[in-house]
Amino acid sequence: MTERSGWRALAFGGVVLTALLTLAAARWATARYEGALAERAAATTAAYLSLVTPAAKGGAGYELPRLLIESHAVGELAELTSRVEVYHGTAPLVHATGSPLPHALLERLRRQAAPQWNAGAAVAPLLDRNGWDVVGAIAVWPQSGAGPSIRTLLALLVALGTGAMAAGGAGAGAVESGLVRRRWSPACYGAAAALLAIAAYGDVRGVAADSTDRWLADTRLLMQEAMARVPDARSSLSTLAPITRGAEVVPGDSAGPASWRRRVNGEGHAAVAVRLAPGRWAELRVLPAETGSGGWFAVTLGLALLGPCAAAFAAWGARMATQPRRRRETVTAWAFLAPSMLHLAVFSFAPILFAFYLAMHRWSLVEPVRPFVGVANFARMLHDPLVWISLRNTLLYVLYVPVSAAIALGVALALSRSTWGARAVRTMFFLPYVSSVVAVTLVWQWMYHADFGLINYLLSFVHVRPVDWLGNPKTALLAVMAVSVWVQLGYQMTVFLAGLNGIPQTYLDAARVDGAGAWQRFWKVTFPLLRPVTLFVLVTDVIGSFQVFTYVYVLTEGGPLHATDVIAYRIYQTAWEFLQFGYASALAVLLFVVLFAVTRVQFRLLGRRVEYA
Amino acid sequence: MASVTLRRLTKTFDRDGKPALHDLTLEVRDGEFLVLLGPSGCGKTTALRCIAGLEEPSAGEIRIGEREVTHLAPADRDVAMVFQNHALYPHLTVRANVAFGLEVRRVPKPDIARRVQETAERLGIAELLERRPAQLSGGQRQRVALGRAIVRNPQVFLFDEPLSNLDATLRSEMRAELLQLHRALGATMIYVTHDQAEAMTMGERIAVLHEGRLRQLGTPAEIYGMPADAFVARFTGNPGMNVLRGQGRASSEGERGGAGVVDCGSLSVPVALEHYEGEILLGVRPEHVSLCAVGQGVGNAAVRVVESLGAETLVHVDAGGQTLVAKLPGMVELHVGATVGVHLDRRRLHLFDGAGERLE
């Protein structure tokens, strides 16, 4: 069967290709960490050289002979783990026979402070003593990095083996391969692919951790060297700041040259002890590179799992080979589904997942370092009084929904006849719902105004003293709820009208003949039959009202005294005013959990089906 | 139990000025099973809804027994109604459905329980009491709907095509049960249907309605044997009566039979007609038409369609542009297009004037 073997070949190809892609991605990630280390080491070395090399007389540049000596010293510093070249201008100093630095690169370094890449090396500018002009450069060659570890190679073998079995099964018909094999080999292959992803990610993480360790070791040496050579540094640690940039230096205890990992304030830190002077030790502390490597796990896992997907697809294709019409229908169905699935994936699922990811990180727009903090954001939530206040306000606010639903049902019952007048009144009730929310809210803001507002003006006729509706913590939330009732009423009324129209008249006729009065007819027939509609109105509006934002934002901005501070407003303020996106995401997750629970409860309470006989 | 009297009942819906009911006067005797028969849109359901109180008549009066109820609410009329789709409350169990009418009338709880149980046993639905309508078969729903009506023990039962949603077997079964129930309860029942077979088998008397007017009120035999006009004639029987349009004239010399002749199409039918000349409608039921050799009957006709039903055969013939159906016993071998003679049972002819009114 040629088609079968075609599918089998596809499955095999998918298995091999995705395994190799996984390894390639891991390799690329490794190279990136090595590159980042090289850039950092180059900058650190440049800072060190500019600190220890004396300035040339009458200028900000360095004495060339001294620079030459220092460069050689750096290049041969025994423990230094990177291959280094120092350029004075464009001339190499450590290996004098090496090729000079291109002029264009030096110019580029002058214009941008960031390290550049040249001939496989990270090049950082060497600034003059004033930190003004670029007088040379430091090039650091990244290590080529080890290949995949034994562990990864083993995982690769297992993945390829199980993948081959799964692919073989894909080409075989149901009869040829045993049921057990057909069932289990794809599952085994999936597990093996996941293992491969984990192993490959382990390599990446190891290199990342190693790069941090090597930088710490290098920087420790350079710091100790600088302390020994530069008298100023002894009095003020800040002199060393250019060397340690991006890292913290705190007083510490004596320790060996090995670096260690420790959690401080919920964040992982990598640190090494630096001997500044006899008996004077400091701790050089930095965020380890592996902290932010989680994204690479997603990449390797995604690539590795493409293999089982390909095998499953091929198996499906082989199975469908005898049912071309069904295959065509399935393909067509997926083709029709694809746009909305893509839309959902990109604009719904991905943001939701990203929110969960953010919730577990300290994530600010302005800080480049966004460390993983685990459940710290959630723990903080528990002790944040504003969160509890906003949660309480949200729950109080939601109470408007049953109120407005009850009014809407009453209005719908009153306006269910399709006379000209009823239609006109229905339109009036519906208008607020289709108007711009902000415009409507602004009008209400004016009506609520303490001095010039319509409401206080009307109240003055019955000798009620003016009320500062939006300025008084006691009335502000009620005022916001009133606007919501007014806007939502038309929508709820329309849904109820549709529901009322859907109730067959004969039930009401039967109830009339049975002797039920209008009140009994409503409670015993109409209302029970309307239950699915009521459920719909309550669920959609409760969900919507938990997310209330616009009214609060326009009317009160959460005030006065947080009296109208609702959860969505809290999220907004945390994210966009305090720029704490991680914490804001954690609040969003809280809202998600609350909504999920509320919806479940509502479905339980009202979810019993009504079947029309 | 009570009689129901409709006097000059007229109902006009707002939309179109045409009355759905026009001057309907009708008396349903105490304990009678009366069928309101007519095609859809004839006003029979409107009449029933007026009696139930679901529609308010535009004019006329309704009495139940000695009480005038024309403008009373349905609840105060002591009638029960079984609806076409049964109208069982879908959210209530069978027990609650049956008990509904008693509960809203605040009947004491023990009474309700007892009466529901009695009713359920009488109708054979005692084991279904805890189910919901959606879990019942068509026949079971029908019984529950009946139970909901009889549990209240009302003066008058109203049925609005209650069997139309059932299949043929179940329908005939339920017909028999309903009649049995009628005999057992001795209650006044008014039954609306468009199915003339149902009307013939069930009704003690049948009221035929057409375009909002009462066309004929009588026993099934009267309706069948002496239709009051051409509409009733066509509507009753299966298939309905043949009504041919013709011209009446005095018979000439040499023609057999009566004093007059009606010429319709290729047929010249001698009738006992003395004073009428001009347009005449000649009615004859298919079972009173037979076929014979060419030239032997009252005229010749061409066979158009032959429907063999096994026990009988319906033959549609074209007699000079007028279609006539003959119901012949057994299987008949006839070719479409063949010419045959037509014989009519002279004692079973019905004559109507040009407007459709019966001529005597």
Side-chain angles (χ1 to χ4, degrees), chain A residues 222-445:
Chain A
L222 293 177
M223 278 173 76
Q224 291 181 357
E225 198 64 23
M227 283 304 279
R229 308 258 304 276
V230 183
D232 293 353
R234 281 176 212 146
S235 55
S236 164
L237 273 180
S238 65
T239 323
L240 295 179
I243 300 181
T244 64
R245 54 179 215 152
E248 280 180 280
V249 180
V250 292
D253 288 330
S254 62
S259 55
W260 66 84
R261 298 287 194 274
R262 184 191 291 157
R263 295 194 76 80
V264 179
N265 297 333
E267 295 169 15
H269 281 278
V272 70
V274 185
R275 182 175 168 277
L276 299 173
R280 188 168 166 224
W281 290 78
E283 189 178 313
L284 177 64
R285 196 194 272 171
V286 73
L287 279 172
E290 71 265 24
T291 311
S293 66
W296 290 108
F297 180 56
V299 171
T300 55
L301 189 66
L303 285 173
L305 290 183
L306 276 181
C309 289
F313 176 69
W316 175 79
R319 229 177 20 250
M320 290 290 124
T322 53
Q323 294 160 285
R325 206 183 70 182
R326 203 168 142 212
R327 179 170 67 190
R328 206 165 52 237
E329 280 172 2
T330 309
V331 168
T332 311
W334 280 102
F336 274 109
L337 285 175
S340 53
M341 277 191 11
L342 195 69
H343 183 270
L344 270 179
V346 172
F347 293 105
S348 293
F349 297 142
I352 289 171
L353 287 178
F354 189 54
F356 277 96
Y357 174 81
L358 281 184
M360 288 183 289
H361 289 75
R362 199 177 71 200
W363 185 288
S364 160
L365 268 192
V366 291
E367 278 179 55
V369 185
R370 292 149 179 180
F372 175 81
V373 295
V375 295
N377 283 328
F378 296 97
R380 177 179 158 194
M381 220 151 61
L382 293 178
H383 304 296
D384 188 342
L386 284 186
V387 169
W388 292 106
I389 289 174
S390 66
L391 212 53
R392 189 201 64 195
N393 286 340
T394 309
L395 289 174
L396 285 175
Y397 173 80
V398 168
L399 291 180
Y400 98 81
V401 173
V403 173
S404 80
I407 300 175
L409 180 54
V411 173
L413 285 169
L415 297 178
S416 62
R417 275 162 297 175
S418 71
T419 60
W420 183 86
R423 272 197 294 254
V425 178
R426 282 197 297 233
T427 309
M428 272 164 53
F429 271 107
F430 195 63
L431 270 180
Y433 186 70
V434 290
S435 306
S436 153
V437 179
V438 174
V440 162
T441 316
L442 284 173
V443 171
W444 274 91
Q445 194 170 35

Side-chain angles (χ1 to χ4, degrees), chain B residues 159-179:
Chain B
F159 297 93
D160 186 7
E161 310 210 19
L163 305 184
S164 59
N165 285 350
L166 305 181
D167 61 54
T169 330
L170 201 53
R171 201 170 348 184
S172 66
E173 212 175 286
M174 288 305 298
R175 261 188 233 159
E177 268 187 49
L178 259 178
L179 288 178

Side-chain angles (χ1 to χ4, degrees), chain B residues 1-17:
Chain B
M1 304 308 117
S3 61
V4 177
T5 312
L6 310 183
R7 195 157 296 145
R8 297 185 65 86
L9 195 65
T10 298
K11 173 68 187 175
T12 310
F13 289 102
D14 301 332
R15 307 264 167 70
D16 44 3

